[in-house]
Amino acid sequence: MKTIAKDSKKRVTIYSVAREAGVSLATVSRVINDSDVVKEDTKRKVQEAIIKLGYKPNAVAQGLALKKSTNIALIIPDSSFTYIGKVFNGLLDVAKIYKYNIILHTTSSGVNEMNEIVDNVIKSHADGIILYNDYFTPEELEILNSFEIPMVYLDVRASSKQSCCVYVDYQQAVYELTMRYLQKGIDDIVVIDDKKNPINVKQILAGVQQAFEEKGKKFEGFIPIPEYAHSSYDFLTKYFKKNRHKLVITYRDSQALAVLNTCTENGINIPEETEVVCIKGSRYTDMVRPQISSFDVPAYDLGSLAMRILTKMLNGDDIQDREFRLNYVFKEKGSTKR
Amino acid sequence: MKTIAKDSKKRVTIYSVAREAGVSLATVSRVINDSDVVKEDTKRKVQEAIIKLGYKPNAVAQGLALKKSTNIALIIPDSSFTYIGKVFNGLLDVAKIYKYNIILHTTSSGVNEMNEIVDNVIKSHADGIILYNDYFTPEELEILNSFEIPMVYLDVRASSKQSCCVYVDYQQAVYELTMRYLQKGIDDIVVIDDKKNPINVKQILAGVQQAFEEKGKKFEGFIPIPEYAHSSYDFLTKYFKKNRHKLVITYRDSQALAVLNTCTENGINIPEETEVVCIKGSRYTDMVRPQISSFDVPAYDLGSLAMRILTKMLNGDDIQDREFRLNYVFKEKGSTKR
DNA sequence: CTGAAAGCGCTAACAC
DNA sequence: GTGTTAGCGCTTTCAG
């Protein structure tokens, strides 16, 4: 029995299917695109041919014809990954060298590689962009915007005519937190810098300052991480050997852990003498002892909402709100007093 | 002064550049592909036009013409992400619904969606595949392999004619570890199950069993996580309230933490009474107290090597070895005795 | 050294 | 309902 050679290495195209089914390629196209004008009978024939040949439409060709690639660029700082992140870093570095795109675009702090990324995003004809918590300069954003690709900022409050954002109001969260302490008469509050999340730290500072100002005080508790420090963990370990404060606010879980460990090891009781709050709670803030009080951020929703909004934009739907705020919950644990 | 309308929303193509430079599109193509046959003078003209118009080649069209997409599919279980992973989960779930491909393909345990993933990978014409630590069934792999797309397994030891692997020999690592304990006369050793990393657990078990067998003993210390358990963390928390062992081996950091916390809270001294080893060390295994002894796995290298090998395969280079083993280092910390 | 033209696989008018 | 055909933007022979 002679069939279309199944062992031929040639990828099966819409032509082969058409031939096999004895119809034109237009008809096959209609079938795979669920057009309802095709007669039930022909449709069946085509579908059988598709299955028989194992045909799968070539998305690249579809992309060319439709002028849309059906992929979206996700731009994200490589520092955002934890363990598995390292694997990604490796993958992506080399992929970049060899010009293979993993459409996960990561940015590394310092290096001015934004142009390269914009380039890649444009060339790959991403239909939309999701930009996670990153520090593009206004000029770079301008360039990105000039291509008028729908974009949503993730975890950052910013928007423009072509973009929306999904964010958590860290400023408000920290404002409320600070306010509670100030009302208790506690103002020895410090905020730890986080080079990897400058935007968030800025928001945290804004929240603290807002509270201080409202109370007629001046906030001076910002603790920068010096350039020479190996890591913020190292620096904090040293800093808290000598200094103590009533309330320490950190963004990342690892920083909160550094404070926790150092204080404990130096006989400073937590939370009696020093209280610690981590803004971005994680599984780990719950797994250490004492557990670290933190904000519960709806990470999943942040992602899904961003994507959902982007698809709406791509769909040409009318979007009234451009900024979507998600709520947080303060989880009071062992690192703060009741 | 009249220039090609810069405010026209139409994306600039190779034609526009050709017109602007007063050459044919073939020449432009040669220039952007660094062909050396173009006269220096024309090349310059073209390059100027490119810059003037801000031309960027359309990778989709190139993909069609060259029959290669220059992107590679990365398949990875969604459970592999930690915090940032959750964001991804959200992004990807919705992206899938709307048929937008983030070329990061994630698989979720349980659901039989492998076919869908294979489909996507094929349709998107990925030139290569990296498969991270996942549990495709042999049949599914068969299908994937049938397309003869170069593939590298990451963190799993497996290979075939079209695929290579980059892995860490967990079995050997655990074998050595177990051997040390057995030689000290300690055989109350348990291995904790990890539903999210079945392959690795299998390797761990193999290592332990190998050591036991060599010592003429039978290993019976496998602790499965029952189906009804909310999470392995919860289960372990309960289990170690009532049971104690000399050495506990876990794969994930969170499981080691669960053991650590529970033992400590129940007055079991670590490492004096119970020792804990986490196979996959992380930043967190170092950040808790006591620090958890673990294996240092070269995550970055795992990723970069995998990608490097893949590019070689895509390049048609001859590859003699198909399996690449990377080394681990045992980091002895506070959760084990010296 | 450069241009003309075919073709990559598919979609979308436009005919019939 | 279904087939024909003209692109989508680019690469690559093949002429000149």
Side-chain angles (χ1 to χ4, degrees):
Chain A
M1 192 175 89
K2 194 159 180 312
T3 60
I4 298 276
K6 219 194 158 170
D7 45 359
S8 146
K9 285 323 163 210
K10 223 171 158 325
R11 275 267 280 263
V12 13
T13 72
I14 199 167
Y15 294 105
S16 356
V17 176
R19 204 179 316 123
E20 173 76 19
V23 299
S24 79
L25 73 166
T27 301
V28 178
S29 175
R30 291 189 183 103
V31 171
I32 63 185
N33 289 304
D34 261 342
S35 164
D36 45 356
V37 298
V38 185
K39 217 201 314 182
E40 214 33 70
D41 197 42
T42 14
K43 183 185 253 173
R44 204 181 29 68
K45 266 194 325 199
V46 171
Q47 279 164 339
E48 278 167 6
I50 287 178
I51 291 175
K52 176 168 177 196
L53 301 181
Y55 168 69
K56 295 186 195 302
N58 178 341
V60 178
Q62 288 180 314
L64 225 209
L66 290 175
K67 291 160 155 287
K68 42 187 254 189
S69 61
T70 61
N71 46 52
I72 72 107
L74 173 59
I75 306 177
I76 191 174
D78 58 3
S79 60
S80 294
F81 296 112
T82 52
Y83 168 67
I84 183 67
K86 279 196 184 174
V87 177
F88 276 129
N89 290 347
L91 280 176
L92 294 164
D93 286 353
V94 182
K96 201 172 287 178
I97 295 170
Y98 292 91
K99 310 270 186 223
Y100 286 100
N101 268 321
I102 293 178
I103 304 233
L104 216 203
H105 305 267
T106 66
T107 64
S108 32
S109 60
V111 194
N112 180 12
E113 54 178 6
M114 296 303 172
N115 289 327
E116 206 176 315
I117 290 180
V118 172
D119 235 62
N120 268 306
V121 173
I122 301 307
K123 285 191 198 156
S124 72
H125 275 233
D127 297 332
I129 300 173
I130 291 183
L131 190 49
Y132 178 83
N133 181 25
D134 216 322
Y135 19 85
F136 276 83
T137 64
E139 297 78 45
E140 289 163 342
L141 282 179
E142 187 54 45
I143 295 176
L144 209 50
N145 272 314
S146 74
F147 291 96
E148 308 202 336
I149 302 173
M151 173 160 71
V152 8
Y153 291 94
L154 189 46
D155 210 19
V156 171
R157 186 170 183 181
S159 57
S160 69
K161 57 178 172 356
Q162 277 295 319
S163 70
C164 295
C165 73
V166 182
Y167 71 102
V168 170
D169 195 343
Y170 294 107
Q171 174 170 348
Q172 179 66 19
V174 175
Y175 164 77
E176 289 167 3
L177 175 75
T178 307
M179 219 45 181
R180 284 199 293 278
Y181 279 82
L182 290 181
Q183 267 154 6
K184 283 192 279 184
I186 299 173
D187 64 357
D188 179 15
I189 299 173
V190 293
V191 173
I192 311 291
D193 190 15
D194 186 342
K195 292 257 190 294
K196 301 199 171 163
N197 299 283
I199 296 180
N200 296 309
V201 172
K202 214 169 133 192
Q203 291 174 80
I204 292 173
L205 282 176
V208 179
Q209 278 157 353
Q210 185 187 341
F212 269 69
E213 268 168 32
E214 240 171 68
K215 284 288 179 183
K217 301 190 175 204
K218 188 155 165 33
F219 175 69
E220 290 174 319
F222 179 62
I223 302 186
I225 310 285
E227 290 300 337
Y228 61 77
H230 273 310
S231 71
S232 68
Y233 193 93
D234 279 352
F235 171 75
L236 292 173
T237 297
K238 281 171 195 133
Y239 180 90
F240 281 93
K241 246 177 212 154
K242 306 204 173 143
N243 304 277
R244 40 192 73 185
H245 299 283
K246 281 299 181 191
L247 173 64
V248 181
I249 301 175
T250 75
Y251 178 71
R252 260 182 298 166
D253 58 357
S254 62
Q255 297 184 321
L257 271 172
V259 178
L260 198 72
N261 287 339
T262 311
C263 288
T264 307
E265 279 155 19
N266 289 284
I268 303 172
N269 268 323
I270 288 181
E272 290 75 12
E273 296 170 78
T274 292
E275 297 184 62
V276 179
V277 170
C278 175
I279 302 302
K280 202 120 185 177
S282 72
R283 300 158 62 225
Y284 298 97
T285 51
D286 283 354
M287 282 194 257
V288 293
R289 297 294 179 268
Q291 292 179 314
I292 298 170
S293 299
S294 64
F295 288 94
D296 211 359
V297 171
Y300 185 94
D301 300 339
L302 225 42
S304 60
L305 183 56
M307 193 63 218
R308 189 161 277 134
I309 291 167
L310 187 56
T311 57
K312 284 219 159 93
M313 295 171 79
L314 292 173
N315 204 25
D317 289 7
D318 205 23
I319 304 208
Q320 30 251 52
D321 300 321
R322 306 215 141 270
E323 308 197 346
F324 298 80
R325 183 167 50 75
L326 291 186
N327 292 322
Y328 47 81
V329 176
F330 184 59
K331 291 193 300 175
E332 210 163 358
K333 302 271 175 151
S335 72
T336 51
K337 299 182 211 168
R338 286 261 144 212
Chain B
M1 191 176 89
K2 196 160 180 310
T3 61
I4 297 278
K6 218 193 156 169
D7 45 358
S8 147
K9 285 327 162 207
K10 224 168 156 330
R11 276 265 280 261
V12 13
T13 73
I14 199 168
Y15 294 105
S16 354
V17 176
R19 206 179 314 124
E20 173 75 20
V23 299
S24 78
L25 73 167
T27 302
V28 178
S29 175
R30 291 190 183 103
V31 171
I32 63 184
N33 289 304
D34 262 341
S35 163
D36 46 357
V37 296
V38 185
K39 217 200 317 180
E40 211 37 65
D41 197 43
T42 9
K43 184 185 254 177
R44 205 181 28 69
K45 266 196 324 199
V46 171
Q47 279 164 339
E48 278 167 7
I50 288 178
I51 290 176
K52 175 168 178 193
L53 301 180
Y55 169 68
K56 294 185 195 303
N58 178 340
V60 178
Q62 289 180 313
L64 225 211
L66 290 176
K67 291 162 158 284
K68 45 188 250 186
S69 62
T70 60
N71 46 53
I72 73 107
L74 172 60
I75 306 177
I76 190 174
D78 58 3
S79 61
S80 293
F81 296 110
T82 52
Y83 169 69
I84 184 67
K86 279 195 182 175
V87 177
F88 278 129
N89 291 348
L91 282 176
L92 295 163
D93 286 352
V94 182
K96 202 173 286 176
I97 295 171
Y98 291 91
K99 311 272 186 220
Y100 286 100
N101 267 323
I102 293 178
I103 304 230
L104 216 203
H105 305 266
T106 66
T107 63
S108 32
S109 59
V111 193
N112 179 13
E113 54 178 9
M114 297 302 173
N115 289 328
E116 207 175 315
I117 289 180
V118 173
D119 234 62
N120 268 308
V121 173
I122 302 307
K123 284 191 198 158
S124 72
H125 274 235
D127 297 331
I129 300 173
I130 290 183
L131 190 49
Y132 176 83
N133 179 26
D134 216 323
Y135 18 85
F136 275 81
T137 64
E139 296 79 43
E140 289 162 339
L141 282 180
E142 187 54 46
I143 295 176
L144 210 48
N145 273 314
S146 74
F147 290 94
E148 307 200 337
I149 302 173
M151 174 159 71
V152 7
Y153 291 94
L154 188 44
D155 210 18
V156 170
R157 186 171 184 179
S159 57
S160 69
K161 58 179 176 349
Q162 276 295 318
S163 69
C164 293
C165 72
V166 181
Y167 71 102
V168 169
D169 195 343
Y170 294 107
Q171 175 169 349
Q172 178 66 16
V174 174
Y175 164 76
E176 288 167 3
L177 175 77
T178 307
M179 216 48 180
R180 286 199 293 277
Y181 280 83
L182 291 180
Q183 265 152 6
K184 284 192 280 185
I186 298 174
D187 65 356
D188 179 15
I189 298 173
V190 293
V191 172
I192 312 292
D193 190 16
D194 186 343
K195 291 256 190 297
K196 301 200 170 165
N197 300 282
I199 295 179
N200 296 310
V201 172
K202 213 168 135 193
Q203 290 174 81
I204 292 172
L205 282 176
V208 178
Q209 278 156 354
Q210 185 187 338
F212 268 69
E213 268 168 32
E214 238 170 70
K215 284 288 180 185
K217 303 192 175 203
K218 189 156 164 30
F219 174 70
E220 289 174 320
F222 180 63
I223 301 186
I225 309 286
E227 290 300 337
Y228 61 76
H230 272 311
S231 70
S232 69
Y233 192 94
D234 278 352
F235 170 75
L236 292 173
T237 297
K238 281 172 195 132
Y239 180 89
F240 280 93
K241 245 177 214 154
K242 306 203 173 141
N243 305 278
R244 40 192 74 189
H245 300 284
K246 279 300 181 193
L247 173 64
V248 181
I249 300 175
T250 75
Y251 178 71
R252 260 183 296 168
D253 58 356
S254 62
Q255 296 183 322
L257 271 172
V259 178
L260 197 72
N261 288 338
T262 311
C263 288
T264 306
E265 279 156 17
N266 289 284
I268 303 171
N269 269 323
I270 289 180
E272 290 76 11
E273 295 170 78
T274 292
E275 296 184 65
V276 180
V277 170
C278 175
I279 301 303
K280 202 123 187 177
S282 71
R283 299 157 64 225
Y284 298 98
T285 50
D286 283 354
M287 283 194 258
V288 293
R289 297 295 181 269
Q291 293 178 314
I292 299 170
S293 298
S294 63
F295 287 94
D296 212 1
V297 171
Y300 184 95
D301 300 339
L302 224 43
S304 58
L305 183 56
M307 193 63 218
R308 189 160 276 134
I309 291 167
L310 187 56
T311 59
K312 283 218 161 90
M313 296 172 78
L314 293 174
N315 206 25
D317 289 8
D318 204 24
I319 304 209
Q320 31 251 53
D321 299 323
R322 307 214 140 271
E323 306 197 346
F324 298 81
R325 183 165 51 75
L326 291 185
N327 292 322
Y328 47 82
V329 176
F330 185 58
K331 291 192 301 176
E332 209 164 356
K333 302 270 176 153
S335 71
T336 50
K337 298 181 213 170
R338 286 261 144 209

